[in-house]
Amino acid sequence: MNEQKGRSRHLIDQEIISAIDLIPTSDLSKNTLMESRENQAKMLPQTDVTQLFPVIFEERAVPSYFGGPDIRIEMIKPRQPKYNKMPLYYSIHGGGMVLGSPVVDRQGNAALAAQHGFCCVSVSYRLAPEHIQPSQLQDCYSGLKWCIVHADELGIDTQKVAVAGSSAGAGLAAGLAMYVRDQKEFDIHHLRLRSPMLDDRTSISPEHPYAGEYVWTKRSNYFGWKSVLGHEPGQEGTSEYYVPARAKSLAGLPPTYISIGSIDLFIDEALLFAKQLAFDGVLVELHVYPGYHHLAPMFPNAHFSREGAKSSEYALLKALELL
């Protein structure tokens, strides 16, 4: 970390500043990974969403279309369907490619299913460094394809498919969208990227003077990318499906929503990705929230968190023609 500790503290939005003291920033490494996984698992709410929302929750093991192990998915549906065929919201959890589980997205998915009638599916992809790419791409694609193949059985409308992710999950979502575009087997109709981890080169670039000091640091980012790629970040020839910022063209991607905090480590890559989407003729909506860091989702009632929830929901419903 930069020796000028606290250089960006004065920029943090006061509604979310307490997070950096409640959860002190530490650089993730091979030596701290297991402890970090255990600590995160303890922090995640294990709430029974069927007690909070009128939804049905189930877990399924679905086959890999690449000959790999079965993939666990979580599926949440409204108890009383709003549509004859439900729109599909497919979410990919964050965690720097090395942490996390679908539990992170469970409550948000349940709320979306209950309020707007979505079938919400979250995929439990294999984590790095135990598994490197293409394991993550294959798992995410297999989970989504299984939903499409079994759409009639599940009651899913294959013409209303959204793919979403936060942080590492957003990077995987973008890579998945490009892979789906190129395979031409089915379509995605909306892409939602929140604080997206898109570019391995950020972890070896000169340090940003004000972004990435807190929560998810450049060193943690380096560890995440090296873990998932299986080699040093920044090497030539890395697939755009693994590192979406490497794409030569983003043409053909669905309407895309991007949100990012102004002091988040990923600010520059998110801005460049939005610029490339616009250049390639993709409908893109970009929101930069002043003073927001990577733990902003801990504060859903903060002003810009509420604004973000409202704008991202509108973009999702509009893209799927549900307004």
Side-chain angles (χ1 to χ4, degrees):
M1 188 183 294
N2 190 302
E3 293 302 315
Q4 294 177 291
K5 191 174 181 182
R7 68 191 185 277
S8 59
R9 188 183 179 99
H10 68 288
L11 296 172
I12 302 175
D13 186 293
Q14 290 301 303
E15 285 190 282
I16 67 168
I17 197 168
S18 62
I20 65 171
D21 297 319
L22 291 170
I23 306 175
T25 296
S26 59
D27 296 322
L28 197 60
S29 68
K30 187 176 181 180
N31 294 332
T32 62
L33 178 58
M34 291 306 163
E35 182 182 358
S36 296
R37 285 179 179 174
E38 290 170 7
N39 290 339
Q40 187 190 57
K42 290 174 187 174
M43 289 175 59
L44 291 174
Q46 300 295 325
T47 312
D48 180 356
V49 291
T50 63
Q51 299 299 311
L52 296 176
F53 303 94
V55 296
I56 299 166
F57 173 87
E58 62 177 308
E59 295 179 86
R60 296 202 183 196
V62 303
S64 169
Y65 289 91
F66 301 89
D70 285 355
I71 300 130
R72 187 176 71 84
I73 61 171
E74 292 188 359
M75 186 175 299
I76 302 176
K77 298 179 179 180
R79 216 172 281 159
Q80 295 184 322
K82 189 175 180 180
Y83 307 101
N84 291 329
K85 288 189 174 183
M86 295 174 285
L88 173 63
Y89 183 82
Y90 188 80
S91 65
I92 305 174
H93 70 79
M97 312 287 184
V98 296
L99 299 166
S101 77
V103 176
V104 176
D105 298 327
R106 191 178 291 168
Q107 197 156 317
N109 285 354
L112 190 60
Q115 186 174 358
H116 294 295
F118 278 80
C119 174
C120 294
V121 174
S122 189
V123 59
S124 184
Y125 56 88
R126 286 171 285 177
L127 298 177
E130 294 89 342
H131 305 279
I132 64 172
Q133 285 283 24
S135 299
Q136 292 75 22
L137 174 67
Q138 291 177 355
D139 291 354
C140 294
Y141 179 78
S142 292
L144 179 58
K145 182 174 178 179
W146 183 86
C147 292
I148 300 298
V149 169
H150 295 83
D152 289 343
E153 168 197 334
L154 299 172
I156 286 171
D157 185 347
T158 59
Q159 299 307 305
K160 298 185 188 299
V161 177
V163 172
S166 297
S167 191
L172 292 170
L176 173 62
M178 285 189 276
Y179 187 75
V180 168
R181 173 198 65 186
D182 296 343
Q183 294 302 303
K184 296 181 170 60
E185 294 181 324
F186 54 86
D187 294 319
I188 294 171
H189 308 93
H190 183 59
L191 187 58
R192 177 191 275 187
L193 309 178
R194 290 179 284 201
S195 303
M197 180 178 175
L198 299 163
D199 196 342
D200 62 320
R201 295 164 297 190
T202 298
S203 67
I204 59 169
S205 298
E207 191 154 3
H208 193 294
Y210 296 108
E213 180 180 7
Y214 297 108
V215 189
W216 187 253
T217 65
K218 182 180 171 183
R219 289 181 184 175
S220 295
N221 200 41
Y222 171 85
F223 174 72
W225 277 117
K226 184 176 181 181
S227 296
V228 76
L229 294 176
H231 58 68
E232 289 292 320
Q235 291 186 11
E236 291 299 319
T238 302
S239 172
E240 64 186 42
Y241 302 142
Y242 311 159
V243 184
R246 302 292 197 101
K248 290 182 173 60
S249 174
L250 300 176
L253 289 186
T256 300
Y257 176 96
I258 301 174
S259 59
I260 185 73
S262 66
I263 61 169
D264 193 301
L265 179 67
F266 302 141
I267 178 67
D268 286 349
E269 58 198 77
L271 295 176
L272 289 171
F273 200 73
K275 182 179 178 182
Q276 188 67 44
L277 284 165
F279 183 84
D280 288 331
V282 177
L283 198 63
V284 59
E285 180 176 348
L286 171 68
H287 293 259
V288 179
Y289 293 111
Y292 267 44
H293 52 59
H294 212 62
L295 280 185
M298 286 180 59
F299 302 85
N301 293 318
H303 173 75
F304 289 116
S305 294
R306 287 186 280 109
E307 289 293 308
K310 190 186 303 182
S311 63
S312 62
E313 179 182 278
Y314 180 84
L316 171 69
L317 298 178
K318 183 177 182 180
L320 301 189
E321 299 180 347
L322 296 172
L323 289 173

